[in-house]
mmCIF file of all heavy atoms in Angstrom:
data_model
loop_
_atom_site.group_PDB
_atom_site.id
_atom_site.type_symbol
_atom_site.label_atom_id
_atom_site.label_comp_id
_atom_site.label_asym_id
_atom_site.label_seq_id
_atom_site.Cartn_x
_atom_site.Cartn_y
_atom_site.Cartn_z
ATOM 1 N N ALA R 58 66.561 -123.391 -85.548
ATOM 2 C CA ALA R 58 67.736 -123.924 -84.937
ATOM 3 C C ALA R 58 68.928 -122.922 -84.902
ATOM 4 O O ALA R 58 69.589 -122.761 -83.895
ATOM 5 C CB ALA R 58 68.176 -125.193 -85.781
ATOM 6 N N TYR R 59 69.005 -122.183 -86.072
ATOM 7 C CA TYR R 59 70.070 -121.168 -86.047
ATOM 8 C C TYR R 59 69.780 -120.068 -85.064
ATOM 9 O O TYR R 59 70.627 -119.639 -84.318
ATOM 10 C CB TYR R 59 70.027 -120.633 -87.499
ATOM 11 C CG TYR R 59 70.944 -119.360 -87.624
ATOM 12 C CD1 TYR R 59 72.301 -119.492 -88.002
ATOM 13 C CD2 TYR R 59 70.551 -118.111 -87.349
ATOM 14 C CE1 TYR R 59 73.142 -118.455 -88.083
ATOM 15 C CE2 TYR R 59 71.328 -116.946 -87.444
ATOM 16 C CZ TYR R 59 72.663 -117.220 -87.824
ATOM 17 O OH TYR R 59 73.549 -116.092 -87.933
ATOM 18 N N ALA R 60 68.445 -119.657 -84.978
ATOM 19 C CA ALA R 60 68.088 -118.567 -84.080
ATOM 20 C C ALA R 60 68.324 -118.990 -82.568
ATOM 21 O O ALA R 60 68.920 -118.248 -81.804
ATOM 22 C CB ALA R 60 66.589 -118.250 -84.274
ATOM 23 N N ALA R 61 68.041 -120.260 -82.307
ATOM 24 C CA ALA R 61 68.209 -120.746 -80.813
ATOM 25 C C ALA R 61 69.735 -120.767 -80.584
ATOM 26 O O ALA R 61 70.178 -120.214 -79.494
ATOM 27 C CB ALA R 61 67.565 -122.055 -80.759
ATOM 28 N N LEU R 62 70.510 -121.374 -81.439
ATOM 29 C CA LEU R 62 71.966 -121.542 -81.235
ATOM 30 C C LEU R 62 72.594 -120.101 -81.078
ATOM 31 O O LEU R 62 73.445 -119.884 -80.176
ATOM 32 C CB LEU R 62 72.604 -122.294 -82.380
ATOM 33 C CG LEU R 62 74.086 -122.642 -82.218
ATOM 34 C CD1 LEU R 62 74.309 -123.580 -81.098
ATOM 35 C CD2 LEU R 62 74.533 -123.256 -83.478
ATOM 36 N N THR R 63 72.161 -119.224 -81.939
ATOM 37 C CA THR R 63 72.829 -117.876 -81.871
ATOM 38 C C THR R 63 72.422 -117.147 -80.573
ATOM 39 O O THR R 63 73.324 -116.488 -79.904
ATOM 40 C CB THR R 63 72.267 -117.022 -83.141
ATOM 41 O OG1 THR R 63 72.607 -117.758 -84.274
ATOM 42 C CG2 THR R 63 72.835 -115.644 -83.141
ATOM 43 N N SER R 64 71.133 -117.126 -80.247
ATOM 44 C CA SER R 64 70.798 -116.365 -79.091
ATOM 45 C C SER R 64 71.333 -116.983 -77.754
ATOM 46 O O SER R 64 71.579 -116.336 -76.770
ATOM 47 C CB SER R 64 69.295 -116.182 -79.007
ATOM 48 O OG SER R 64 68.643 -117.385 -78.902
ATOM 49 N N GLN R 65 71.455 -118.340 -77.842
ATOM 50 C CA GLN R 65 71.896 -119.036 -76.638
ATOM 51 C C GLN R 65 73.414 -118.912 -76.446
ATOM 52 O O GLN R 65 73.819 -118.831 -75.295
ATOM 53 C CB GLN R 65 71.536 -120.482 -76.701
ATOM 54 C CG GLN R 65 70.043 -120.766 -76.622
ATOM 55 C CD GLN R 65 69.622 -122.070 -77.177
ATOM 56 O OE1 GLN R 65 70.424 -122.834 -77.647
ATOM 57 N NE2 GLN R 65 68.277 -122.359 -76.963
ATOM 58 N N THR R 66 74.169 -118.851 -77.521
ATOM 59 C CA THR R 66 75.663 -118.786 -77.386
ATOM 60 C C THR R 66 76.235 -117.403 -77.239
ATOM 61 O O THR R 66 77.115 -117.133 -76.468
ATOM 62 C CB THR R 66 76.230 -119.426 -78.690
ATOM 63 O OG1 THR R 66 75.721 -120.665 -78.830
ATOM 64 C CG2 THR R 66 77.734 -119.563 -78.459
ATOM 65 N N PHE R 67 75.583 -116.390 -77.986
ATOM 66 C CA PHE R 67 76.230 -115.081 -78.114
ATOM 67 C C PHE R 67 75.345 -114.005 -77.330
ATOM 68 O O PHE R 67 74.182 -114.183 -77.150
ATOM 69 C CB PHE R 67 76.412 -114.683 -79.606
ATOM 70 C CG PHE R 67 77.128 -115.687 -80.387
ATOM 71 C CD1 PHE R 67 76.533 -116.665 -81.122
ATOM 72 C CD2 PHE R 67 78.549 -115.690 -80.300
ATOM 73 C CE1 PHE R 67 77.326 -117.646 -81.809
ATOM 74 C CE2 PHE R 67 79.321 -116.619 -80.957
ATOM 75 C CZ PHE R 67 78.714 -117.597 -81.732
ATOM 76 N N SER R 68 76.032 -112.931 -77.071
ATOM 77 C CA SER R 68 75.398 -111.757 -76.389
ATOM 78 C C SER R 68 75.401 -110.520 -77.163
ATOM 79 O O SER R 68 74.960 -109.474 -76.633
ATOM 80 C CB SER R 68 75.963 -111.634 -74.973
ATOM 81 O OG SER R 68 77.345 -111.496 -75.045
ATOM 82 N N GLN R 69 75.886 -110.569 -78.352
ATOM 83 C CA GLN R 69 75.947 -109.286 -79.227
ATOM 84 C C GLN R 69 75.851 -109.695 -80.680
ATOM 85 O O GLN R 69 76.344 -110.687 -81.109
ATOM 86 C CB GLN R 69 77.307 -108.544 -78.923
ATOM 87 C CG GLN R 69 77.352 -107.296 -79.861
ATOM 88 C CD GLN R 69 78.517 -106.425 -79.329
ATOM 89 O OE1 GLN R 69 78.439 -105.874 -78.293
ATOM 90 N NE2 GLN R 69 79.491 -106.304 -80.143
ATOM 91 N N LEU R 70 75.085 -108.809 -81.401
ATOM 92 C CA LEU R 70 74.993 -109.159 -82.902
ATOM 93 C C LEU R 70 75.457 -108.001 -83.737
ATOM 94 O O LEU R 70 75.319 -106.791 -83.357
ATOM 95 C CB LEU R 70 73.505 -109.244 -83.235
ATOM 96 C CG LEU R 70 72.650 -110.442 -82.676
ATOM 97 C CD1 LEU R 70 71.333 -110.461 -83.279
ATOM 98 C CD2 LEU R 70 73.478 -111.718 -83.084
ATOM 99 N N THR R 71 76.216 -108.375 -84.770
ATOM 100 C CA THR R 71 76.573 -107.411 -85.853
ATOM 101 C C THR R 71 75.826 -107.899 -87.138
ATOM 102 O O THR R 71 75.756 -109.097 -87.309
ATOM 103 C CB THR R 71 78.082 -107.534 -86.082
ATOM 104 O OG1 THR R 71 78.797 -107.212 -84.846
ATOM 105 C CG2 THR R 71 78.488 -106.426 -87.130
ATOM 106 N N ALA R 72 75.288 -106.988 -87.851
ATOM 107 C CA ALA R 72 74.710 -107.384 -89.100
ATOM 108 C C ALA R 72 75.847 -107.653 -90.084
ATOM 109 O O ALA R 72 76.763 -106.872 -90.274
ATOM 110 C CB ALA R 72 73.827 -106.200 -89.736
ATOM 111 N N GLU R 73 75.786 -108.899 -90.695
ATOM 112 C CA GLU R 73 76.961 -109.198 -91.574
ATOM 113 C C GLU R 73 76.952 -108.197 -92.811
ATOM 114 O O GLU R 73 78.112 -107.897 -93.252
ATOM 115 C CB GLU R 73 76.749 -110.606 -92.117
ATOM 116 C CG GLU R 73 77.998 -111.085 -92.971
ATOM 117 C CD GLU R 73 78.028 -112.570 -93.253
ATOM 118 O OE1 GLU R 73 77.033 -113.277 -92.894
ATOM 119 O OE2 GLU R 73 78.953 -113.013 -93.964
ATOM 120 N N TRP R 74 75.830 -107.741 -93.392
ATOM 121 C CA TRP R 74 75.907 -106.863 -94.482
ATOM 122 C C TRP R 74 74.710 -105.960 -94.551
ATOM 123 O O TRP R 74 74.704 -104.984 -95.270
ATOM 124 C CB TRP R 74 76.158 -107.555 -95.892
ATOM 125 C CG TRP R 74 74.901 -108.407 -96.204
ATOM 126 C CD1 TRP R 74 74.672 -109.723 -95.670
ATOM 127 C CD2 TRP R 74 73.848 -108.056 -97.090
ATOM 128 N NE1 TRP R 74 73.464 -110.198 -96.264
ATOM 129 C CE2 TRP R 74 72.963 -109.122 -97.215
ATOM 130 C CE3 TRP R 74 73.635 -106.974 -97.944
ATOM 131 C CZ2 TRP R 74 71.874 -109.166 -98.003
ATOM 132 C CZ3 TRP R 74 72.511 -106.950 -98.756
ATOM 133 C CH2 TRP R 74 71.666 -108.042 -98.769
ATOM 134 N N GLU R 75 73.644 -106.194 -93.801
ATOM 135 C CA GLU R 75 72.425 -105.498 -93.945
ATOM 136 C C GLU R 75 72.340 -104.074 -93.258
ATOM 137 O O GLU R 75 71.350 -103.462 -93.271
ATOM 138 C CB GLU R 75 71.232 -106.367 -93.614
ATOM 139 C CG GLU R 75 71.003 -107.468 -94.649
ATOM 140 C CD GLU R 75 70.520 -108.763 -94.115
ATOM 141 O OE1 GLU R 75 71.015 -109.235 -93.000
ATOM 142 O OE2 GLU R 75 69.534 -109.281 -94.710
ATOM 143 N N MET R 76 73.465 -103.739 -92.548
ATOM 144 C CA MET R 76 73.517 -102.383 -92.011
ATOM 145 C C MET R 76 74.606 -101.530 -92.757
ATOM 146 O O MET R 76 75.233 -100.641 -92.206
ATOM 147 C CB MET R 76 73.750 -102.428 -90.466
ATOM 148 C CG MET R 76 72.484 -102.761 -89.769
ATOM 149 S SD MET R 76 72.661 -103.094 -88.044
ATOM 150 C CE MET R 76 72.511 -101.392 -87.422
ATOM 151 N N LYS R 77 75.008 -102.059 -93.924
ATOM 152 C CA LYS R 77 75.907 -101.430 -94.705
ATOM 153 C C LYS R 77 75.124 -100.542 -95.768
ATOM 154 O O LYS R 77 73.934 -100.840 -96.094
ATOM 155 C CB LYS R 77 76.882 -102.363 -95.438
ATOM 156 C CG LYS R 77 77.749 -103.170 -94.516
ATOM 157 C CD LYS R 77 78.474 -104.339 -95.198
ATOM 158 C CE LYS R 77 79.245 -105.122 -94.261
ATOM 159 N NZ LYS R 77 79.818 -106.405 -94.882
ATOM 160 N N MET R 78 75.797 -99.695 -96.491
ATOM 161 C CA MET R 78 75.190 -98.851 -97.502
ATOM 162 C C MET R 78 74.567 -99.720 -98.651
ATOM 163 O O MET R 78 73.446 -99.337 -99.140
ATOM 164 C CB MET R 78 76.195 -97.854 -98.155
ATOM 165 C CG MET R 78 76.489 -96.642 -97.277
ATOM 166 S SD MET R 78 77.639 -95.606 -98.153
ATOM 167 C CE MET R 78 77.784 -94.313 -96.886
ATOM 168 N N GLU R 79 75.208 -100.811 -98.859
ATOM 169 C CA GLU R 79 74.732 -101.646 -100.056
ATOM 170 C C GLU R 79 73.178 -102.107 -99.797
ATOM 171 O O GLU R 79 72.448 -102.307 -100.684
ATOM 172 C CB GLU R 79 75.604 -102.827 -100.291
ATOM 173 C CG GLU R 79 75.452 -103.912 -99.127
ATOM 174 C CD GLU R 79 76.446 -105.061 -99.487
ATOM 175 O OE1 GLU R 79 76.142 -105.892 -100.350
ATOM 176 O OE2 GLU R 79 77.468 -105.167 -98.746
ATOM 177 N N TYR R 80 72.839 -102.230 -98.518
ATOM 178 C CA TYR R 80 71.471 -102.523 -98.214
ATOM 179 C C TYR R 80 70.604 -101.261 -97.977
ATOM 180 O O TYR R 80 69.507 -101.118 -98.423
ATOM 181 C CB TYR R 80 71.361 -103.468 -97.047
ATOM 182 C CG TYR R 80 69.854 -103.947 -96.913
ATOM 183 C CD1 TYR R 80 69.340 -104.927 -97.712
ATOM 184 C CD2 TYR R 80 69.046 -103.327 -96.008
ATOM 185 C CE1 TYR R 80 68.011 -105.211 -97.738
ATOM 186 C CE2 TYR R 80 67.707 -103.645 -95.965
ATOM 187 C CZ TYR R 80 67.209 -104.548 -96.930
ATOM 188 O OH TYR R 80 65.861 -104.917 -96.798
ATOM 189 N N ILE R 81 71.150 -100.442 -97.132
ATOM 190 C CA ILE R 81 70.323 -99.324 -96.533
ATOM 191 C C ILE R 81 70.034 -98.235 -97.742
ATOM 192 O O ILE R 81 68.897 -97.667 -97.745
ATOM 193 C CB ILE R 81 71.018 -98.648 -95.348
ATOM 194 C CG1 ILE R 81 71.009 -99.669 -94.149
ATOM 195 C CG2 ILE R 81 70.320 -97.430 -94.891
ATOM 196 C CD1 ILE R 81 71.730 -99.281 -92.998
ATOM 197 N N VAL R 82 71.074 -97.908 -98.501
ATOM 198 C CA VAL R 82 70.834 -96.871 -99.494
ATOM 199 C C VAL R 82 70.141 -97.390 -100.738
ATOM 200 O O VAL R 82 70.661 -98.258 -101.420
ATOM 201 C CB VAL R 82 72.155 -96.187 -99.841
ATOM 202 C CG1 VAL R 82 71.955 -95.099 -100.853
ATOM 203 C CG2 VAL R 82 72.808 -95.662 -98.606
ATOM 204 N N LEU R 83 69.034 -96.817 -101.106
ATOM 205 C CA LEU R 83 68.281 -97.212 -102.249
ATOM 206 C C LEU R 83 68.864 -96.446 -103.542
ATOM 207 O O LEU R 83 69.438 -95.393 -103.373
ATOM 208 C CB LEU R 83 66.738 -97.009 -102.118
ATOM 209 C CG LEU R 83 66.208 -97.809 -101.040
ATOM 210 C CD1 LEU R 83 64.781 -97.274 -100.576
ATOM 211 C CD2 LEU R 83 66.082 -99.285 -101.484
ATOM 212 N N PRO R 84 68.560 -96.991 -104.624
ATOM 213 C CA PRO R 84 68.998 -96.267 -105.931
ATOM 214 C C PRO R 84 68.630 -94.778 -106.014
ATOM 215 O O PRO R 84 69.403 -93.926 -106.473
ATOM 216 C CB PRO R 84 68.415 -97.053 -107.108
ATOM 217 C CG PRO R 84 68.105 -98.423 -106.539
ATOM 218 C CD PRO R 84 67.895 -98.255 -105.069
ATOM 219 N N ASP R 85 67.500 -94.428 -105.448
ATOM 220 C CA ASP R 85 67.033 -93.040 -105.521
ATOM 221 C C ASP R 85 67.505 -92.227 -104.313
ATOM 222 O O ASP R 85 67.186 -91.101 -104.164
ATOM 223 C CB ASP R 85 65.471 -92.986 -105.546
ATOM 224 C CG ASP R 85 64.795 -93.431 -104.226
ATOM 225 O OD1 ASP R 85 65.576 -93.822 -103.384
ATOM 226 O OD2 ASP R 85 63.559 -93.333 -104.166
ATOM 227 N N GLY R 86 68.391 -92.846 -103.507
ATOM 228 C CA GLY R 86 68.947 -92.139 -102.395
ATOM 229 C C GLY R 86 68.095 -92.256 -101.064
ATOM 230 O O GLY R 86 68.555 -91.769 -100.070
ATOM 231 N N GLY R 87 66.943 -92.936 -101.174
ATOM 232 C CA GLY R 87 66.173 -93.150 -99.965
ATOM 233 C C GLY R 87 66.961 -94.214 -99.051
ATOM 234 O O GLY R 87 67.861 -94.861 -99.566
ATOM 235 N N PHE R 88 66.390 -94.395 -97.897
ATOM 236 C CA PHE R 88 67.008 -95.457 -97.013
ATOM 237 C C PHE R 88 65.947 -96.493 -96.689
ATOM 238 O O PHE R 88 64.782 -96.237 -96.573
ATOM 239 C CB PHE R 88 67.485 -94.812 -95.705
ATOM 240 C CG PHE R 88 68.432 -93.740 -95.792
ATOM 241 C CD1 PHE R 88 68.422 -92.615 -94.891
ATOM 242 C CD2 PHE R 88 69.319 -93.611 -96.870
ATOM 243 C CE1 PHE R 88 69.331 -91.574 -95.073
ATOM 244 C CE2 PHE R 88 70.267 -92.553 -96.959
ATOM 245 C CZ PHE R 88 70.218 -91.599 -96.073
ATOM 246 N N ARG R 89 66.426 -97.697 -96.436
ATOM 247 C CA ARG R 89 65.526 -98.758 -95.898
ATOM 248 C C ARG R 89 66.160 -99.400 -94.726
ATOM 249 O O ARG R 89 67.413 -99.768 -94.764
ATOM 250 C CB ARG R 89 65.116 -99.807 -96.981
ATOM 251 C CG ARG R 89 66.253 -100.514 -97.552
ATOM 252 C CD ARG R 89 65.975 -101.675 -98.536
ATOM 253 N NE ARG R 89 67.189 -102.115 -99.165
ATOM 254 C CZ ARG R 89 67.202 -103.052 -99.961
ATOM 255 N NH1 ARG R 89 66.122 -103.654 -100.426
ATOM 256 N NH2 ARG R 89 68.348 -103.420 -100.572
ATOM 257 N N PHE R 90 65.288 -99.632 -93.756
ATOM 258 C CA PHE R 90 65.808 -100.161 -92.466
ATOM 259 C C PHE R 90 65.120 -101.441 -92.052
ATOM 260 O O PHE R 90 65.117 -101.838 -90.912
ATOM 261 C CB PHE R 90 65.756 -99.110 -91.424
ATOM 262 C CG PHE R 90 66.776 -97.991 -91.490
ATOM 263 C CD1 PHE R 90 66.398 -96.811 -91.975
ATOM 264 C CD2 PHE R 90 68.124 -98.234 -91.090
ATOM 265 C CE1 PHE R 90 67.406 -95.718 -92.152
ATOM 266 C CE2 PHE R 90 69.048 -97.217 -91.248
ATOM 267 C CZ PHE R 90 68.681 -95.988 -91.729
ATOM 268 N N ASP R 91 64.342 -102.046 -92.964
ATOM 269 C CA ASP R 91 63.478 -103.170 -92.539
ATOM 270 C C ASP R 91 64.342 -104.393 -91.994
ATOM 271 O O ASP R 91 64.142 -104.903 -90.790
ATOM 272 C CB ASP R 91 62.573 -103.660 -93.617
ATOM 273 C CG ASP R 91 63.273 -104.043 -94.951
ATOM 274 O OD1 ASP R 91 64.413 -103.508 -95.186
ATOM 275 O OD2 ASP R 91 62.722 -104.829 -95.698
ATOM 276 N N ARG R 92 65.367 -104.729 -92.681
ATOM 277 C CA ARG R 92 66.115 -105.772 -92.164
ATOM 278 C C ARG R 92 67.137 -105.466 -91.048
ATOM 279 O O ARG R 92 67.179 -106.232 -90.032
ATOM 280 C CB ARG R 92 67.052 -106.463 -93.394
ATOM 281 C CG ARG R 92 66.198 -107.122 -94.419
ATOM 282 C CD ARG R 92 67.105 -108.060 -95.181
ATOM 283 N NE ARG R 92 66.437 -108.258 -96.526
ATOM 284 C CZ ARG R 92 67.074 -108.808 -97.521
ATOM 285 N NH1 ARG R 92 68.347 -109.129 -97.357
ATOM 286 N NH2 ARG R 92 66.528 -109.046 -98.706
ATOM 287 N N PRO R 93 67.740 -104.282 -91.058
ATOM 288 C CA PRO R 93 68.423 -103.868 -89.826
ATOM 289 C C PRO R 93 67.528 -103.833 -88.628
ATOM 290 O O PRO R 93 67.843 -104.329 -87.543
ATOM 291 C CB PRO R 93 68.949 -102.394 -90.178
ATOM 292 C CG PRO R 93 68.997 -102.408 -91.712
ATOM 293 C CD PRO R 93 67.956 -103.416 -92.213
ATOM 294 N N ASP R 94 66.317 -103.357 -88.781
ATOM 295 C CA ASP R 94 65.369 -103.320 -87.672
ATOM 296 C C ASP R 94 65.042 -104.776 -87.186
ATOM 297 O O ASP R 94 64.812 -105.034 -85.977
ATOM 298 C CB ASP R 94 63.979 -102.744 -88.128
ATOM 299 C CG ASP R 94 64.126 -101.214 -88.097
ATOM 300 O OD1 ASP R 94 65.214 -100.711 -87.691
ATOM 301 O OD2 ASP R 94 63.081 -100.561 -88.593
ATOM 302 N N ARG R 95 64.913 -105.687 -88.103
ATOM 303 C CA ARG R 95 64.720 -107.062 -87.705
ATOM 304 C C ARG R 95 65.800 -107.693 -86.878
ATOM 305 O O ARG R 95 65.605 -108.343 -85.925
ATOM 306 C CB ARG R 95 64.552 -107.867 -89.090
ATOM 307 C CG ARG R 95 64.413 -109.311 -88.920
ATOM 308 C CD ARG R 95 63.128 -109.790 -89.556
ATOM 309 N NE ARG R 95 62.867 -111.069 -88.927
ATOM 310 C CZ ARG R 95 63.324 -112.236 -89.480
ATOM 311 N NH1 ARG R 95 63.858 -112.314 -90.646
ATOM 312 N NH2 ARG R 95 63.216 -113.404 -88.751
ATOM 313 N N ILE R 96 67.032 -107.466 -87.292
ATOM 314 C CA ILE R 96 68.174 -107.871 -86.494
ATOM 315 C C ILE R 96 68.197 -107.194 -85.212
ATOM 316 O O ILE R 96 68.478 -107.795 -84.115
ATOM 317 C CB ILE R 96 69.515 -107.570 -87.403
ATOM 318 C CG1 ILE R 96 69.488 -108.512 -88.574
ATOM 319 C CG2 ILE R 96 70.722 -107.788 -86.414
ATOM 320 C CD1 ILE R 96 70.586 -108.166 -89.602
ATOM 321 N N ALA R 97 67.932 -105.864 -85.194
ATOM 322 C CA ALA R 97 67.920 -105.109 -83.933
ATOM 323 C C ALA R 97 66.791 -105.656 -83.045
ATOM 324 O O ALA R 97 67.035 -105.786 -81.777
ATOM 325 C CB ALA R 97 67.708 -103.676 -84.129
ATOM 326 N N GLY R 98 65.703 -106.019 -83.521
ATOM 327 C CA GLY R 98 64.619 -106.549 -82.766
ATOM 328 C C GLY R 98 64.929 -107.905 -82.200
ATOM 329 O O GLY R 98 64.647 -108.239 -81.030
ATOM 330 N N PHE R 99 65.653 -108.702 -83.009
ATOM 331 C CA PHE R 99 65.983 -110.058 -82.520
ATOM 332 C C PHE R 99 67.019 -109.884 -81.322
ATOM 333 O O PHE R 99 66.781 -110.573 -80.258
ATOM 334 C CB PHE R 99 66.748 -110.834 -83.554
ATOM 335 C CG PHE R 99 67.051 -112.266 -83.250
ATOM 336 C CD1 PHE R 99 66.162 -113.264 -83.404
ATOM 337 C CD2 PHE R 99 68.341 -112.522 -82.664
ATOM 338 C CE1 PHE R 99 66.525 -114.586 -83.034
ATOM 339 C CE2 PHE R 99 68.592 -113.825 -82.223
ATOM 340 C CZ PHE R 99 67.813 -114.862 -82.468
ATOM 341 N N ALA R 100 67.866 -108.926 -81.479
ATOM 342 C CA ALA R 100 68.886 -108.746 -80.336
ATOM 343 C C ALA R 100 68.079 -108.267 -79.098
ATOM 344 O O ALA R 100 68.296 -108.837 -77.953
ATOM 345 C CB ALA R 100 69.920 -107.666 -80.797
ATOM 346 N N ARG R 101 67.166 -107.308 -79.300
ATOM 347 C CA ARG R 101 66.464 -106.827 -78.129
ATOM 348 C C ARG R 101 65.639 -107.965 -77.426
ATOM 349 O O ARG R 101 65.708 -108.080 -76.205
ATOM 350 C CB ARG R 101 65.495 -105.767 -78.566
ATOM 351 C CG ARG R 101 65.026 -104.743 -77.444
ATOM 352 C CD ARG R 101 64.099 -103.673 -77.945
ATOM 353 N NE ARG R 101 64.619 -102.968 -79.104
ATOM 354 C CZ ARG R 101 64.021 -102.992 -80.366
ATOM 355 N NH1 ARG R 101 62.981 -103.851 -80.533
ATOM 356 N NH2 ARG R 101 64.496 -102.362 -81.333
ATOM 357 N N ASN R 102 64.972 -108.811 -78.296
ATOM 358 C CA ASN R 102 64.160 -109.819 -77.732
ATOM 359 C C ASN R 102 64.877 -110.957 -77.035
ATOM 360 O O ASN R 102 64.358 -111.673 -76.321
ATOM 361 C CB ASN R 102 63.322 -110.433 -78.866
ATOM 362 C CG ASN R 102 62.284 -109.492 -79.360
ATOM 363 O OD1 ASN R 102 61.883 -108.540 -78.750
ATOM 364 N ND2 ASN R 102 61.802 -109.736 -80.587
ATOM 365 N N HIS R 103 66.231 -111.020 -77.221
ATOM 366 C CA HIS R 103 67.014 -112.077 -76.639
ATOM 367 C C HIS R 103 68.096 -111.500 -75.690
ATOM 368 O O HIS R 103 69.008 -112.220 -75.455
ATOM 369 C CB HIS R 103 67.632 -112.911 -77.738
ATOM 370 C CG HIS R 103 66.572 -113.636 -78.526
ATOM 371 N ND1 HIS R 103 65.984 -113.206 -79.654
ATOM 372 C CD2 HIS R 103 66.008 -114.919 -78.341
ATOM 373 C CE1 HIS R 103 65.079 -114.125 -80.121
ATOM 374 N NE2 HIS R 103 65.141 -115.102 -79.351
ATOM 375 N N GLY R 104 67.857 -110.271 -75.255
ATOM 376 C CA GLY R 104 68.827 -109.701 -74.273
ATOM 377 C C GLY R 104 70.263 -109.640 -74.896
ATOM 378 O O GLY R 104 71.266 -109.842 -74.152
ATOM 379 N N MET R 105 70.345 -109.348 -76.212
ATOM 380 C CA MET R 105 71.695 -109.225 -76.774
ATOM 381 C C MET R 105 71.953 -107.726 -77.105
ATOM 382 O O MET R 105 71.078 -107.001 -77.368
ATOM 383 C CB MET R 105 71.739 -110.060 -78.102
ATOM 384 C CG MET R 105 71.289 -111.435 -77.886
ATOM 385 S SD MET R 105 71.091 -112.271 -79.518
ATOM 386 C CE MET R 105 72.743 -113.011 -79.776
ATOM 387 N N LYS R 106 73.244 -107.394 -77.161
ATOM 388 C CA LYS R 106 73.615 -106.038 -77.636
ATOM 389 C C LYS R 106 73.608 -106.058 -79.063
ATOM 390 O O LYS R 106 73.694 -107.022 -79.746
ATOM 391 C CB LYS R 106 74.920 -105.647 -77.054
ATOM 392 C CG LYS R 106 74.993 -105.387 -75.517
ATOM 393 C CD LYS R 106 76.372 -105.109 -75.049
ATOM 394 C CE LYS R 106 76.487 -104.952 -73.476
ATOM 395 N NZ LYS R 106 75.779 -103.760 -73.025
ATOM 396 N N LEU R 107 73.561 -104.723 -79.573
ATOM 397 C CA LEU R 107 73.579 -104.624 -81.029
ATOM 398 C C LEU R 107 74.799 -103.780 -81.387
ATOM 399 O O LEU R 107 75.083 -102.798 -80.684
ATOM 400 C CB LEU R 107 72.378 -103.876 -81.506
ATOM 401 C CG LEU R 107 72.231 -103.525 -82.932
ATOM 402 C CD1 LEU R 107 72.056 -104.728 -83.840
ATOM 403 C CD2 LEU R 107 71.151 -102.468 -83.265
#
Side-chain angles (χ1 to χ4, degrees):
Y59 174 91
L62 186 63
T63 301
S64 62
Q65 289 161 357
T66 308
F67 301 100
S68 49
Q69 178 169 293
L70 292 185
T71 303
E73 185 169 2
W74 66 281
E75 289 149 312
M76 287 173 84
K77 297 171 181 169
M78 285 182 176
E79 68 181 288
Y80 186 78
I81 293 176
V82 180
L83 295 164
D85 68 358
F88 304 148
R89 60 176 170 178
F90 287 104
D91 55 336
R92 293 199 203 166
D94 284 353
R95 175 118 201 271
I96 293 169
F99 184 90
R101 202 179 311 107
N102 292 339
H103 293 88
M105 307 170 91
K106 290 178 182 289
L107 177 70

